[in-house]
Amino acid sequence: ANLFLVPLDDQRQWFRYHHLFSELLQNQLQLSYPQDVPRLHQKASQWYEAQGDVDQTVAHAFAAHDDQRVAQLCEKFGESMLHQNKHSLLSAWIEVLPQELVYQRPWLCVYQSWTRHWAGIRERGEECLGNAERMLASDDSLSQDERDKLAGSIATVRAHYALVNEQLPLAIEQASKALRLLPKNNYYTAGTAGVALGGAYWGQGDITRAEEAFRECAATALKGGFVFRASSALCYAGMQQVKQAQLKVAEQTFQKAVSLAKLPGGRLSPDCGFPMAKLSELALEWNDLEQARTLAADGLKLCRQLGHVDLIAEASIALARVQLADQDLCGVRDTLQHLESLSRQTKLDPWVLGWLDECQVRLWLAAGEIEQAVYWAESCGLQADDPFSFHYELHHINLARVLSAQLVQHRVGANAAECLRLLERLLVAADQMGWTHHKIQVLLLQALVLQATKDQPGALNAQGAALAVAQPDGYIRTFTSEGPDMQR
């Protein structure tokens, strides 16, 4: 009773005592009426459900040890939680349920598979989807619309798993199936399928269809008011614009993505992290290091709050690139160490792995550890005459970088003719696919190799070709990061 003698003018103090008093009452309840506690939690869960408080509804169902009700609530609220990007919370609820209970409900299987993909727990995703499919086939009580919605959702999640598993034709097939089956007003899931479709075209090197798919995905999401889904789709569209060396257009796209992801009052949501990381890379290219540092650090922090492993990896790459520009080699090592640890824990999108190798190679060369870079080139499994992978971001450029560094720095240890053949093949591939950003990088490596082999006119021609396509959008860092010879 003495608690009520505390002055109420200090609200923070009042709430602290209120919380303490609530704990005292709960402890007394546990001691005096333990048999009533589960029933009271069930009543509290029902009351909160009527008030629309999902978190408390589920929390009290857990406290009542009522797994059946928790499973029912996860199915009931799962879709709306995905719409609000509460994947991590939904995953936490589902993962503590008995697996046999999850496997009795097809929608729970879909939600578990998707939230596992989001969090990076990607080993048993297909098992969940296969189980949902079997239940769908054996359940005659569903209407055709319900069947189409469930089948379309299964195909959507399967398309994303196919994408990280490098099964690009399957990703296109499943994403197209989802878009065909999903109800016309299911804008969120259709947008999610569109992201997988765009990613598959990206992996095939088809930059035009990839950008179109991402833009259509954003438009679809906006029809339903799903601004977070539209924001991430616009980021992927902007990345295709960067590939075409349209940096100023990409900047507008990323800024629109940030605006869409902001909360009321202009506050930053976790979904702002992805476009902020991409804006950091543009600021870095334009040599605005201070802006690049701020955007990369804040973007990574927000992506970690969001919990999507691929976006955490992409924001980590943005930070590592800024640290390389700052010559903060210790910082780069730390960032890449965390990223490599993440890549061992889960299967990341293949293009992220290509960027990781790029940062690692650049770090070794910046630190003068060319032996490490050469060892990587000899053991990475890439051969100069192998077919190229657009899904791994033309990662043969990383091999070419090591070979050219051997020639430029030591004039020994690498076959200049082999290196030039590889660069010429990369140049043709980048030209054919319209990957102008990569074309610039290849031309600069070609210029350095030609200079190292005393072909000064050829070196100047290659550099001039790079300048011609890079000048309109203000490229700077791509040139200056290639070292003192290129800077001169």
Side-chain angles (χ1 to χ4, degrees):
N2 289 336
L3 291 173
F4 291 100
L5 301 178
V6 176
L8 300 183
D9 53 345
D10 186 341
Q11 291 299 310
R12 286 177 297 178
Q13 186 181 33
W14 186 88
F15 279 114
R16 183 161 57 86
Y17 280 108
H18 181 272
H19 178 68
L20 175 61
F21 188 55
S22 297
E23 286 189 343
L24 288 172
L25 287 175
Q26 290 180 37
N27 290 339
Q28 188 63 35
L29 175 65
Q30 291 280 1
L31 291 171
S32 303
Y33 307 101
Q35 71 281 0
D36 289 340
V37 171
R39 179 179 58 82
L40 292 172
H41 276 300
Q42 287 174 337
K43 290 184 67 176
S45 178
Q46 293 164 2
W47 186 85
Y48 276 114
E49 184 178 6
Q51 308 310 308
D53 190 330
V54 176
D55 292 6
Q56 287 294 333
T57 298
V58 177
H60 282 285
F62 270 120
H65 305 291
D66 190 345
D67 288 344
Q68 286 287 350
R69 177 164 169 76
V70 172
Q72 176 191 3
L73 292 170
C74 287
E75 273 202 316
K76 178 179 179 180
F77 297 119
E79 186 174 27
S80 64
M81 292 186 72
L82 295 182
H83 293 171
Q84 300 169 59
N85 272 356
K86 293 185 176 181
H87 299 70
S88 299
L89 181 57
L90 180 60
S91 177
W93 292 345
I94 296 174
E95 293 301 329
V96 297
L97 290 171
Q99 194 62 50
E100 60 270 18
L101 182 57
V102 175
Y103 277 7
Q104 294 171 11
R105 297 171 177 268
W107 277 110
L108 268 192
C109 291
V110 173
Y111 296 147
Q112 183 175 52
S113 184
W114 181 235
T115 55
R116 282 181 171 181
H117 183 281
W118 180 278
I121 311 168
R122 294 173 172 172
E123 292 80 11
R124 298 175 60 190
E126 179 56 38
E127 182 180 323
C128 299
L129 295 177
N131 192 68
E133 242 170 6
R134 286 189 290 274
M135 284 188 284
L136 174 61
S138 62
D139 190 347
D140 297 329
S141 65
L142 298 175
S143 69
Q144 190 59 49
D145 284 348
E146 291 171 328
R147 297 180 70 82
D148 287 346
K149 182 179 179 181
L150 180 54
S153 298
I154 292 170
T156 297
V157 180
R158 181 169 282 141
H160 280 271
Y161 275 96
L163 193 57
V164 297
N165 289 328
E166 304 174 47
Q167 300 169 308
L168 298 179
L170 178 61
I172 292 173
E173 173 199 312
Q174 291 296 308
S176 301
K177 176 182 177 181
L179 293 171
R180 186 173 65 252
L181 287 175
L182 288 166
K184 298 300 182 185
N185 62 350
N186 198 325
Y187 300 114
Y188 178 87
T189 309
T192 304
V195 168
L197 185 62
Y201 289 141
W202 174 357
Q204 292 181 336
D206 192 338
I207 196 168
T208 303
R209 295 179 77 181
E211 185 179 352
E212 287 176 356
F214 290 135
R215 285 197 166 280
E216 187 171 342
C217 164
T220 299
L222 285 175
K223 283 181 184 177
F226 300 116
V227 291
F228 296 151
R229 173 78 286 167
S231 174
S232 62
L234 281 178
C235 279
Y236 291 124
M239 291 167 74
Q240 309 314 301
Q241 292 160 355
V242 169
K243 288 184 178 304
Q244 299 169 74
Q246 298 174 356
L247 304 190
K248 294 172 185 176
V249 176
E251 181 186 30
Q252 295 175 356
T253 302
F254 294 143
Q255 286 175 342
K256 183 176 180 181
V258 172
S259 298
L260 285 173
K262 282 184 178 179
L263 298 169
R267 292 177 296 120
L268 297 177
S269 75
D271 294 88
C272 292
F274 184 22
M276 287 172 65
K278 294 305 164 188
L279 283 169
S280 164
E281 294 182 337
L282 293 182
L284 177 63
E285 184 58 56
W286 292 326
N287 216 31
D288 187 347
L289 288 181
E290 183 177 353
Q291 178 76 343
R293 284 186 211 104
T294 301
L295 286 167
D298 292 347
L300 178 56
K301 180 180 178 182
L302 291 169
C303 284
R304 283 174 173 159
Q305 291 176 17
L306 188 64
H308 192 305
V309 291
D310 295 315
L311 301 189
I312 293 170
E314 294 202 28
S316 298
I317 291 292
L319 178 62
R321 286 170 172 163
V322 174
Q323 291 168 328
L324 279 166
D326 275 335
Q327 297 184 332
D328 177 11
L329 302 189
C330 290
V332 182
R333 291 185 199 279
D334 185 59
T335 300
L336 295 185
Q337 185 177 1
H338 282 94
L339 188 50
E340 286 170 356
S341 175
L342 182 62
S343 71
R344 287 193 295 269
Q345 295 168 22
T346 187
K347 192 160 189 176
L348 295 171
D349 281 329
W351 45 74
V352 173
L353 300 178
W355 299 331
L356 174 58
D357 283 343
E358 178 200 356
C359 290
Q360 186 64 73
V361 166
R362 287 183 180 273
L363 171 62
W364 286 324
L365 297 179
E369 301 170 357
I370 195 165
E371 297 84 2
Q372 290 272 28
V374 171
Y375 175 77
W376 171 85
E378 293 172 348
S379 60
C380 68
L382 296 180
Q383 300 295 325
D385 295 327
D386 286 346
F388 296 144
S389 169
F390 293 94
H391 204 184
Y392 279 85
E393 285 292 283
L394 274 180
H395 59 340
H396 271 80
I397 295 177
N398 299 325
L399 177 61
R401 183 174 300 283
V402 176
L403 297 177
S404 65
Q406 287 180 276
L407 286 163
V408 172
Q409 294 183 22
H410 299 280
R411 306 293 195 269
V412 294
N415 186 316
E418 177 190 21
C419 186
L420 287 170
R421 280 198 305 273
L422 172 57
L423 288 168
E424 187 60 38
R425 289 182 60 225
L426 284 165
L427 198 56
V428 171
D431 251 339
Q432 287 177 342
M433 298 302 176
W435 286 28
T436 310
H437 183 80
H438 296 72
K439 176 182 178 178
I440 296 168
Q441 295 176 328
V442 173
L443 283 168
L444 295 184
L445 291 177
Q446 193 177 57
L448 291 170
V449 172
L450 289 169
Q451 184 184 32
T453 57
K454 309 302 183 185
D455 183 356
Q456 191 70 5
L460 289 174
N461 283 338
Q463 187 191 51
L467 284 165
V469 292
Q471 187 275 337
D473 279 71
Y475 275 80
I476 298 174
R477 181 59 59 173
T478 294
F479 288 81
T480 60
S481 66
E482 294 299 346
D485 286 348
M486 183 61 64
Q487 290 170 17
R488 282 193 294 272

